[in-house]
Amino acid sequence: MTDITITALPAAPLHVFEIWSNPAVVANRFEAALGSSLPVLGAALQLSAMRLIRYEPTVWLAEGDPAGLAEILGADGSLTAIGGGVVRVRLGGPGWRSLLMEGGVFDAESADFAAGSSAATLIDHVNVRLYVESDDACLAYVPLSYARDMIHFWTVAAKSLV
């Protein structure tokens, strides 16, 4: 028995928030509309109805109700629904970091990868987005086409971790 749980979560509203041009202007509109700054690379912002997670220099994942984001972007980017193409998987328990090191190229055991942090990485040749919920849990956003295989990979790998 391992100290890791692997749970596919129910579908949730997921959108890609991407800035194409005028990032400083968009950032100002975001702050004016929502009262907070856009999260920096590798971090997230929890708002009342959504979490905005930054994975790339100009790309965020919005989980929850994205009301107002399209207006903030205007013609400077796009808000694209991706919820049907992504499976959210919660990796829980004290061993989730070790599990992410199996087949991965990202240092999930780094102290800098703490609650509220995010990362985009490859695990077993699959593009995976990670968000650290707490010391004991991490959300992995896995493409639907690879989710079944990724969950199987993690399930087998978890059994080898003692």
Side-chain angles (χ1 to χ4, degrees), residues 26-120:
V26 174
N28 288 338
R29 289 193 303 247
F30 184 90
E31 190 164 354
L34 298 176
S36 296
S37 298
L38 282 167
V40 298
L41 188 59
L45 172 65
Q46 183 67 53
L47 298 168
S48 62
M50 92 175 136
R51 178 183 303 135
L52 199 60
I53 308 167
R54 189 168 185 181
Y55 290 107
E56 298 174 33
T58 60
V59 179
W60 293 257
L61 174 69
E63 181 175 343
D65 182 1
L69 290 184
E71 293 77 16
I72 290 168
L73 284 166
D76 294 315
S78 70
L79 183 67
T80 307
I82 62 164
V86 176
V87 175
R88 299 174 314 133
V89 180
R90 179 172 287 119
L91 306 174
W96 69 265
R97 291 176 183 276
S98 296
L99 181 62
L100 287 177
M101 299 298 291
E102 294 293 314
V105 295
F106 174 74
D107 184 5
E109 295 175 330
S110 169
D112 293 333
F113 193 52
S117 296
S118 67

